[in-house]
Every structure is written in structure tokens, then in C-alpha cells.
Amino acid sequence: MAEATDATLVLVTGAGGFIATHIVKQLQEEGYRVRGTVRSLEDEERIKKLKELCPDAKHELELVEADLTKPESWEPAVKDVKYVIHVASPFPTQTPKEESELIQPAVEGTQAVLKACVAAKSVKRVVLTSSCAAVGWGPGADTTKTFTEEDWMEPEKLNAYGKSKTLAEKAAWDYVKELPDEDKIELAVINPAYVMGPVINGSMSTSSEVVKRLLEREKPFVAKLNFPVVDVRDVAAAHIKAMTLDDAAGKRHLIVNSNVWMKEMATILSKEFKTQGYNVPTANCPGPILWLTSLFDRTIKMVMPDIGKVYKFDNTRVS
Ligand code: NDP
């Protein structure tokens, strides 16, 4: 297993995101030099927050601008980097009108990052953040089985987000497979379940949106949804292990802690926050009402195919 040395520079893409900030923090705590990409350096408050993720860091966090829709932005970002943890990808709370809004940056952006890594000549391994959505989560997934790293979803059956993750991961594997020997770089993939846990980037993300909506009682009910969940700190640690463990190269890694019903989540939140004045809904919504709501609510529409379903994943590889 490789160790952090002064010379080891790691690039984290989308460094300001929910998961990426935990990766940056843990890398800095382990002594790595970290460069992160953000789409814009102009939001001073956000940048300050990122720079303060690890106050005792041996090396100050370096931030550069790069965008998945701008292939030319990745060459300077990967310069002199040994490991790339490619986390950035659009993860919206609502289904976009055009699927391409997600698929294009996810797929072409991943290809652009990998292309820049090859050109840099310094990159040994890329760790890609994929998703359980690329394995067995969503419409058409067989809920009678426990999914393993051998499984793939059929993209055409998925919503735009699931499609974007599946196609981006496939594109990454195809890309490294086709590389000539002299250009070879290693690829390791992390496939997290629904990621929950402390928000340290100071902004909302799709993951925290569920808890926020429950706390704000956006609806007077909970949907009968089941989530395979995983702690964001475990997800970050898994990325770093996948970056350094010899055995992780060329493999996918499912990462999931347990399955939780939304009603259970709501009950935990209610117990914890009731005394602070939060009126968290804990009753399941009757099916017909949920269906009616989905006709005008894009978030409910997005989750309708998952109502009542339990998706199970085998996490043996990472445990
Ligand atoms: P966030 O929305 O917090 O992070 C997404 C990151 O992607 C942000 O940093 C965002 O940058 C960046 N990004 C989006 N579009 C672009 C673009 N065009 N160019 C450059 N950067 C872009 O979500 P999470 O941290 O939860 O997700 C991170 C990754 O983990 C994603 O790949 C997601 O698919 C994956 N994942 C997440 C799960 C979860 O439950 N949270 C589960 C499984 C996988 P900016 O800050 O500028 O918006």
C-alpha cells in the first residue's frame, strides 16, 4: 500500500461537493498534498470554507477551476498529479427536462478527465465515484436478489441520473481498457449507496435534501421508500483505500452500511428534533395520494418507480 509523502499530489474533482469535502479533509489529515477542482473560484465564502476543512493540514489545499463541460480545463488541473479521485458529476434533486443535461457532463466529462490523466504522464490511478445506481438500483432491478460488483443496470431502463452514472462508469472502464500499454493508467471504482452524514461544505446537496425536507415538513407524509444507506465518512475512507491498495485497481467496490425505510429515518429525526420544535412527518402516504402528487411534483415523480422496493447490495469486498 502506498503512503502519503510530500511528493504525493492528489486531485479531487468537484472538491466543494458533499462527499468530496470529506475526501479532501481525510486526505489532508493523512498528509497528502491535495488539489481540488471547483467550477468557480469566485464564491469567496465557499472557497474559505474549503480551505479550512483541515486547519492543521501539512499542505494548504490548492483550488483550481475546471468544468466537466470544458475538456480543455482538465489539462492544467491534472498537472503533476499522481492520483485522481473523480467525484464531480451532476446530482440534481429533480429530473431535468433534457436527459442530456446530466448524461453529457457525466460521460464526456469523465472521458475528458481520463484523457487529461493519460496526457499528464504522472497519473498512476484514477478512483471514480460511480453509484449503486449503476449496479442494481432503479426501474427493472431485480429486488429478489442481492447485487454484487458483477452486476450492471441496463441504462435504457433508468432515469436520467441513473443513466448518467451507468454510462459514465462504462465509458471509464472502456476508456482505460482501450489504452495502449505505454499509456495505461489504473482505474478503481467506488459504487456508494445513498450517502448520508455530516455536511461540512456548508451547502445543500441531493443527499441532505431528504433530511431537510423531512425536518421542514415539506409534505405531511413520508413515501414508502427504502434506502440502502452509507455514512459519508466511510465513503470518503473507501475512496482513499481504493486509491492506494494494490488490490483495488481494476475493480468496482460496492459500499453500503444497511437498508433503512424513510419512515424509520423520519422517526429517528422526530425523536432527535421534536424538542427543538420540528414536526417531522412519520406516517406513510397512501399509494393513490402519492400517485396524484407525482403528477405535479417532479421529485415525487422521480422516486415513484422505487416505492415499496428494497434494493440489497453485497458489501463483502470493502468489509
Ligand atoms: P454534490 O452535488 O454535493 O456534488 C456534486 C459535485 O459535482 C459538485 O462539487 C459539483 O460542483 C460537481 N459538478 C457537477 N456538475 C459539474 C460540472 N459540469 N463540472 C464540474 N463539476 C461539476 O453531490 P454528492 O457529493 O452527493 O455527489 C458526489 C458524487 O457522488 C457524484 O458523482 C454522485 O453521482 C455520486 N454519488 C452520490 C451519492 C449520494 O447519495 N450522495 C450516492 C452515489 C453516488 P459544484 O460544487 O460547482 O456544483
Side-chain angles (χ1 to χ4, degrees):
M1 181 167 155
E3 277 176 23
T5 69
D6 279 359
T8 311
L9 178 59
V10 183
L11 180 77
V12 180
T13 71
F18 169 54
I19 297 173
T21 38
H22 282 273
I23 298 174
V24 168
K25 182 173 186 282
Q26 289 187 19
L27 283 168
Q28 287 191 297
E29 284 167 356
E30 290 191 26
Y32 286 98
R33 277 171 63 208
V34 185
R35 181 183 295 155
T37 71
V38 289
R39 275 187 281 188
S40 166
L41 287 167
E42 273 169 27
D43 184 343
E44 282 176 22
E45 207 176 308
R46 191 171 184 221
I47 299 301
K48 186 169 173 278
K49 207 156 192 102
L50 289 180
K51 295 260 186 187
E52 289 169 352
L53 282 172
C54 181
D56 302 326
K58 199 165 161 194
H59 309 281
E60 195 192 331
L61 173 65
E62 182 193 347
L63 290 169
V64 297
E65 284 184 356
D67 192 309
L68 296 170
T69 61
K70 296 176 185 154
E72 69 287 356
S73 63
W74 294 99
E75 193 192 312
V78 296
K79 192 174 182 298
D80 300 328
V81 163
K82 182 167 181 186
Y83 300 112
V84 174
I85 303 189
H86 177 40
V87 193
S89 204
F91 187 25
T93 47
Q94 296 190 334
T95 311
K97 286 204 179 97
E98 296 294 332
E99 286 192 342
S100 58
E101 284 175 37
L102 297 190
I103 296 170
Q104 222 159 304
V107 176
E108 292 173 18
T110 297
Q111 288 165 330
V113 170
L114 290 169
K115 198 172 167 196
C117 291
V118 171
K121 303 280 181 208
S122 57
V123 177
K124 176 176 163 54
R125 186 178 296 179
V126 176
V127 179
L128 169 72
T129 317
S130 182
S131 169
C132 281
V135 176
W137 191 355
D142 179 359
T143 48
T144 61
K145 69 178 273 182
T146 298
F147 289 94
T148 72
E149 283 88 355
E150 300 301 315
D151 294 302
W152 280 92
M153 284 298 283
E154 290 174 46
E156 54 283 0
K157 290 190 178 159
L158 291 168
N159 65 19
Y161 172 71
K163 224 178 257 185
S164 77
K165 296 307 290 179
T166 308
L167 293 174
E169 190 193 330
K170 269 190 195 294
W173 286 119
D174 288 347
Y175 188 89
V176 294
K177 198 170 120 206
E178 298 302 325
L179 286 172
D181 282 349
E182 63 275 19
D183 286 341
K184 282 278 183 229
I185 52 171
E186 296 170 345
L187 177 67
V189 171
I190 298 293
N191 301 80
Y194 184 72
V195 186
M196 304 201 76
V199 174
I200 58 169
N201 63 348
S203 47
M204 293 304 298
S205 67
T206 298
S207 276
S208 40
E209 192 73 18
V210 174
V211 170
K212 178 175 174 272
R213 286 174 190 211
L214 286 170
L215 286 172
E216 291 176 349
R217 201 181 170 84
E218 199 210 31
K219 303 259 183 317
F221 54 74
V222 293
K224 198 174 174 217
L225 279 172
N226 185 281
F227 298 89
V229 293
V230 59
D231 190 300
V232 67
R233 291 158 291 195
D234 293 341
V235 175
H239 279 81
I240 298 171
K241 282 215 162 133
M243 179 182 99
T244 49
L245 286 176
D246 291 339
D247 198 35
K251 292 198 180 99
R252 309 171 89 196
H253 304 81
L254 283 168
I255 173 148
V256 51
N257 295 138
S258 60
N259 280 75
V260 182
W261 288 99
M262 196 175 190
K263 189 176 161 63
E264 292 176 282
M265 242 183 238
T267 306
I268 294 166
L269 288 171
S270 176
K271 271 193 192 139
E272 187 71 26
F273 293 106
K274 199 170 188 151
T275 53
Q276 294 175 43
Y278 290 93
N279 184 13
V280 179
T282 52
N284 272 328
C285 179
I289 296 178
L290 198 66
W291 180 79
L292 273 176
T293 314
S294 75
L295 298 180
F296 54 87
D297 185 315
R298 296 235 302 271
T299 309
I300 300 286
K301 184 181 171 195
M302 190 165 155
V303 301
M304 277 310 277
D306 290 333
I307 296 298
K309 292 191 181 150
V310 179
Y311 299 104
K312 295 178 287 297
F313 298 93
D314 180 352
N315 65 358
T316 313
R317 184 168 284 170
V318 296
S319 48

